[in-house]
Amino acid sequence: MGSVRKAKVTEAVKRELWRLGLGMCYLCREPLDSGIGGTSPTAHYAHIVAQADKGPRAVPGMPQGQRDAVTNLILLCPGCHDLIDKQPAAYPTPALQQRKVDHETYAASLRESGRLWRVRYATVDYLNMPRMAMRESGALLQLVADRVGFDTNKAFHGQGIKSGQFVGQLRSVFEGWNEQATPLDEDRVESLAVGMLVSFSGAMRCRNAPTIPPAPLEGTWEHDPQLTFQLGLRTVRVRFDPAWLTTTTATTDLRSDDAQHYAGVGFVVGISDRAIKVSALVFGHPQTQAASLFEVASTHDGSVPRQVPLGQAEHSPAQPLAAAPRQSTAMAPPVSVALHFDEDEVLPGWIERATICQAARVVPEYRRDCRVGTMSLLVRKLLEDGGVDDLAAKLLSLGGERHWSSFEVVGLAALLATKNVAVAVVEGLRAHQLQDLHEALLEQSEPYLGALELDARSPLHRRAYASRSTLRLVGADLRVLYSVGDYLPGEWDHRDHSVLDTWEKSGLFPTVSWEEDAERSAAEERDAWAQFRELQRRFGVD
């Protein structure tokens, strides 16, 4: 097996292997350090079939591309890497291949046991950049860092105003974070396992509080800084490296005698009858309603809404929708909303199904009359001189009026720059249902990224979100929309009847039927006549 220093493994392959293995050694399952940020790396991207022809388990003649592919690599700590290279007979190729399958299956089960973690922070107090950079969503952090000139290979201390600018923009990034974590609560405590990504939120105290400036870690749980709180009969101990505290104020808060409310995520590194040990990735103070009121009053300039609406300001995990009756809003005009999804994470037809199912969940049956259409968001065609930052600001700025949105400008810009975005446009909702639909999708749909209310008066909205409605939800029934354009001359039917069959077989609706979109048919007929008259004019025919 070739050494890590000689391996020609691409950064893309490293990220994928880190994701598949959840940043753990494939043999002993100890959490690993990528080495980003000046720390000593403990992660070796090790080859099963040797990287060199004379290495352990070598297969001379094997193409180099196959040797450095994800399928031939495992993550190992230095000790395990040394062990399998010095004892190749005890660790033959088939055994390591099976261990790769077993560990990646185990890691997948840990990911699936969680729920989508997103948090609205008042302050981000700690961010372990070496570990977070290897996460699937780490590219968002790098994008923000590049924008302000923050060096992610260095700790926050010593980078001056760039550090503050970076931290200030992190809050919107974590509002749109797209990873699953298992909540640390009494209902799930017995299902926890080493290596699991967990989320935590509540009142905590700091043990072994860090100094100013921070001292190096000693490497022991007895002396290193950690947040602590009780979970049943166990003490949760969240260890952190003070080198990655974001500000001096964060250090001061940790030294307070009073309990502080922190929320964050980390990896479980140890479980016993008395304690659950967690290695922190990020934590901070979650946003409160009072803090949001102050922010909106002091920062909103009336043109670009950089703060979310007050109803969304306070941090709270997604909960099942409440069944309590709402104040009547029957006279309120219907609104439209653009729901954004990660296009690379969904199969054809998935977005329509997810949107229709959740719309049926949040809109009362007696009031349902919703249309749904999907499209790809063609960001490149919308960009002007200002880039994605300017585009995001314009999409959220509607003549100074406040419209509902789950995005802030920085978060939306990060998504537009790093993801292929698909959109479902839903027409016929009431304003108070937008938040319910957003929360329902957050709860049920991992590829969902967020939403914004559309304004028919905005030329940019009409251009960016010009979807064609293909489904209509009416009461308990579903209608599949078509128009005259779906027929060729001679009444030849070009409708896709498999769509109707798929919805009928789903069993979600009592009836599924075709319905002509009269408005679209009329528009298509007008266009056809206009083209016909243009041909008559061009060829001089009366």
Side-chain angles (χ1 to χ4, degrees):
M1 185 175 297
S3 72
V4 157
R5 291 184 296 275
K6 296 181 180 179
K8 301 176 181 178
V9 181
T10 66
E11 290 302 315
V13 168
K14 289 180 180 180
R15 287 183 181 276
E16 177 64 8
L17 190 64
W18 195 275
R19 184 188 71 84
L20 290 172
L22 283 182
M24 291 183 285
C25 175
Y26 276 45
L27 264 65
C28 68
R29 290 182 175 161
E30 283 294 311
L32 302 173
D33 193 318
S34 65
I36 297 175
T39 59
S40 298
T42 60
H44 287 198
Y45 302 91
H47 295 73
I48 297 174
V49 173
Q51 196 268 345
D53 285 346
K54 295 183 180 181
R57 294 168 296 278
V59 178
M62 183 177 185
Q64 195 64 49
Q66 293 182 21
R67 302 188 195 203
D68 294 328
V70 170
T71 52
N72 188 50
L73 292 165
I74 55 178
L75 276 175
L76 294 178
C77 66
C80 289
H81 194 178
D82 191 54
L83 177 67
I84 68 170
D85 276 4
K86 290 184 176 179
Q87 301 181 37
Y91 296 94
T93 296
L96 292 180
Q97 289 172 333
Q98 185 60 50
R99 183 59 184 178
K100 177 179 175 68
V101 171
D102 292 345
H103 179 76
E104 290 177 359
T105 301
Y106 166 76
S109 69
L110 294 184
R111 285 195 299 270
E112 292 168 2
S113 68
R115 57 190 279 185
L116 197 64
W117 177 80
R118 291 174 179 174
V119 64
R120 182 167 293 114
Y121 277 122
T123 61
V124 179
D125 298 309
Y126 176 81
L127 179 67
N128 190 318
M129 284 300 301
R131 302 285 300 278
M132 289 295 276
M134 300 304 295
R135 304 297 300 163
E136 189 172 358
S137 299
L140 293 176
L141 299 176
Q142 190 62 54
L143 178 75
V144 176
D146 291 344
R147 183 183 294 123
V148 302
F150 178 77
D151 187 349
T152 55
N153 291 310
K154 298 178 181 178
F156 293 88
H157 181 70
Q159 295 203 51
I161 192 172
K162 293 180 180 179
S163 176
Q165 291 173 335
F166 177 57
V167 175
Q169 295 192 25
L170 286 180
R171 296 185 303 165
S172 57
V173 172
F174 288 116
E175 285 184 36
W177 203 251
N178 200 38
E179 291 192 71
Q180 288 190 326
T182 299
L184 270 179
D185 56 38
E186 293 193 42
D187 292 337
R188 296 172 176 84
V189 67
E190 298 304 327
S191 64
L192 296 178
V194 172
M196 184 177 286
L197 184 68
V198 294
S199 62
F200 49 87
S201 180
M204 307 174 192
R205 296 183 184 277
C206 183
R207 179 181 176 186
N208 303 326
T211 59
I212 301 176
L217 289 176
E218 294 189 18
T220 66
W221 284 89
E222 289 74 24
H223 299 103
D224 286 341
Q226 54 204 262
L227 299 174
T228 65
F229 62 95
Q230 288 299 125
L231 186 60
L233 299 177
R234 291 182 172 96
T235 299
V236 178
R237 303 169 67 180
V238 183
R239 185 168 63 179
F240 59 92
D241 184 346
W244 295 103
L245 289 169
T246 59
T247 62
T248 302
T249 302
T251 306
T252 303
D253 288 347
L254 289 165
R255 296 176 63 83
S256 171
D257 292 333
D258 299 326
Q260 302 277 332
H261 188 167
Y262 289 106
V265 291
F267 281 109
V268 176
V269 296
I271 302 174
S272 69
D273 293 337
R274 300 178 59 185
I276 299 169
K277 296 179 179 179
V278 176
S279 177
L281 292 178
V282 60
F283 63 75
H285 293 290
Q287 182 69 292
T288 64
Q289 186 73 28
S292 180
L293 282 168
F294 177 78
E295 278 198 359
V296 171
S298 60
T299 65
H300 183 60
D301 60 6
S303 59
V304 179
R306 294 182 178 271
Q307 302 299 327
V308 295
L310 299 184
Q312 305 168 55
E314 189 169 7
H315 162 68
S316 60
Q319 298 293 335
L321 296 178
R326 291 182 177 271
Q327 184 178 355
S328 175
T329 55
M331 301 303 294
V335 297
S336 300
V337 66
L339 308 170
H340 299 66
F341 297 84
D342 187 341
E343 193 165 25
D344 296 330
E345 297 296 324
V346 297
L347 296 173
W350 183 92
I351 293 176
E352 293 94 330
R353 185 183 181 95
T355 301
I356 283 289
C357 289
Q358 299 311 321
R361 180 182 176 190
V362 303
V363 182
E365 185 174 315
Y366 70 89
R367 197 180 290 164
R368 285 184 200 149
D369 190 358
C370 305
R371 288 169 168 256
V372 175
T374 59
M375 53 169 284
S376 294
L377 190 60
L378 303 178
V379 175
R380 290 185 180 179
K381 292 187 176 181
L382 300 171
L383 290 178
E384 298 177 353
D385 294 338
V388 291
D389 293 318
D390 188 54
L391 174 60
K394 289 178 178 178
L395 288 172
L396 296 178
S397 176
L398 303 175
E401 297 182 15
R402 184 176 292 281
H403 286 67
W404 181 90
S405 173
S406 69
F407 294 117
E408 290 188 19
V409 173
V410 174
L412 180 57
L415 294 178
L416 297 179
T418 59
K419 295 184 181 296
N420 293 316
V421 179
V423 176
V425 174
V426 184
E427 305 172 22
L429 298 171
R430 303 294 171 178
H432 69 273
Q433 294 164 349
L434 300 181
Q435 179 69 16
D436 284 351
L437 182 57
H438 167 66
E439 291 180 356
L441 286 164
L442 275 181
E443 181 184 343
Q444 300 293 332
S445 307
E446 185 174 350
Y448 173 66
L449 302 172
L452 61 89
E453 181 184 350
L454 297 181
D455 187 346
R457 299 168 298 175
S458 166
L460 179 58
H461 276 197
R462 292 198 300 271
R463 199 155 50 95
Y465 300 106
S467 71
R468 168 179 168 173
S469 297
T470 56
L471 299 170
R472 182 183 175 208
L473 185 61
V474 184
D477 302 321
L478 184 68
R479 314 281 174 80
V480 182
L481 302 177
Y482 72 94
S483 66
V484 295
D486 295 321
Y487 291 88
L488 292 177
E491 297 299 315
W492 185 259
D493 187 357
H494 269 232
R495 294 178 297 183
D496 186 355
H497 290 276
S498 66
V499 175
L500 200 70
D501 294 339
T502 298
W503 282 109
E504 287 178 337
K505 292 176 182 178
S506 72
L508 295 172
F509 305 97
T511 63
V512 181
S513 60
W514 289 108
E515 178 182 294
E516 182 179 3
D517 187 333
E519 184 177 341
R520 192 164 75 227
S521 288
E524 289 171 350
E525 288 178 339
R526 288 194 299 271
D527 289 344
W529 276 111
Q531 292 175 19
F532 178 69
R533 294 190 186 97
E534 175 61 21
L535 289 174
Q536 285 183 314
R537 186 195 63 77
R538 185 177 302 175
F539 293 103
V541 178
D542 293 332

